[in-house]
Structures are given as C-alpha cells and as structure tokens.
Amino acid sequence: QVQLVESGGGLVQAGGSLRLSCAASGSIFSINAMGWYRQAPGKQRELVALITSVTSGVNLNYADSVKGRFTISRDYAKNTVYLQMNSVKPEDTAVYYCNAAVVTTTSGPMNLWGKGTLVTVSS
C-alpha cells in the first residue's frame, strides 16, 4: 500500500511565502510524476504544478497563474515533492492536494491523491 502525506499548509499574509511538502511511502517501485493541484471553494480542482520524469531529465509544468511565483521540486531519495510558494495572493487560497503517478511493487501503476492541506492567504 502506498500513501501520500502532505504538510506545510496554514495561514499566510499576502506577499508572504509558504512551502508545502508531500511524502510518498509504502510499496513503491517508481514514481513517474508528482504534482500539486488545488481546489478553492466553489471551484473545480486545477493543476498548480507538475514535475514529470522523462528520458532526458524532467519536465516542469505550471499553471499560468503561479508562474514566476511558485516552484516545484522533488527529492528522489525521499520520494518527496515540494511546492515553494512565494508572493502569495488571496486568490491562492485553496486546499492543495498532492498527486503522484506511482508504480507499486504489489499492484502495478496507481494514481494517488493526498488528503489535502489548506492554504489561506489573508489580504
């Protein structure tokens, strides 16, 4: 069994910074991609940032709304993905979910979600 556990959410003032972490644990053979999504009240869940392993290295994808402010990174040894959030805005307020495309040693490929961590940006 594999699980994702997020941490680092909380209350931050507009213009401030916050770092989210998501650690994958369990029967992991490999992780092809890890990313962050968010869902604000009354809105659909949307992609924030994604880091994907490819033959030549990694691909990074960001939502236009966070480009230049948020940075995604991954610690491969720890099976952990981070989201550094700088210059946050009130519209960044949402529940942030970690997502991972995992190949497990027991059940093959799986698409996993964390339980979410709340980020609240005050103006």
Side-chain angles (χ1 to χ4, degrees):
Q1 189 172 0
V2 180
Q3 62 175 357
L4 304 178
V5 178
E6 302 116 331
S7 61
L11 176 65
V12 60
Q13 287 190 331
S17 297
L18 207 61
R19 190 173 87 149
L20 306 183
S21 301
C22 170
S25 62
S27 306
I28 299 170
F29 176 74
S30 65
I31 302 177
N32 299 324
M34 297 187 82
W36 292 94
Y37 291 72
R38 68 185 180 187
Q39 187 166 18
K43 295 188 176 181
Q44 290 187 331
R45 190 174 297 188
E46 62 176 1
L47 173 68
V48 177
L50 183 66
I51 181 167
T52 306
S53 298
V54 294
T55 305
S56 57
V58 295
N59 279 341
L60 303 180
N61 289 285
Y62 294 95
D64 289 342
S65 59
V66 306
K67 283 181 181 177
R69 301 188 298 121
F70 291 8
T71 302
I72 189 170
S73 62
R74 181 177 162 182
D75 185 327
Y76 288 83
K78 296 181 179 180
N79 286 330
T80 299
V81 66
Y82 305 96
L83 184 69
Q84 179 66 43
M85 306 168 61
N86 297 331
S87 302
V88 295
K89 304 175 180 180
E91 50 263 43
D92 294 322
T93 295
V95 177
Y96 285 71
Y97 296 91
C98 178
N99 175 262
V102 178
V103 179
T104 70
T105 60
T106 56
S107 303
M110 296 182 72
N111 185 45
L112 300 175
W113 291 92
K115 293 183 179 181
T117 185
L118 177 62
V119 172
T120 303
V121 182
S122 64
S123 57

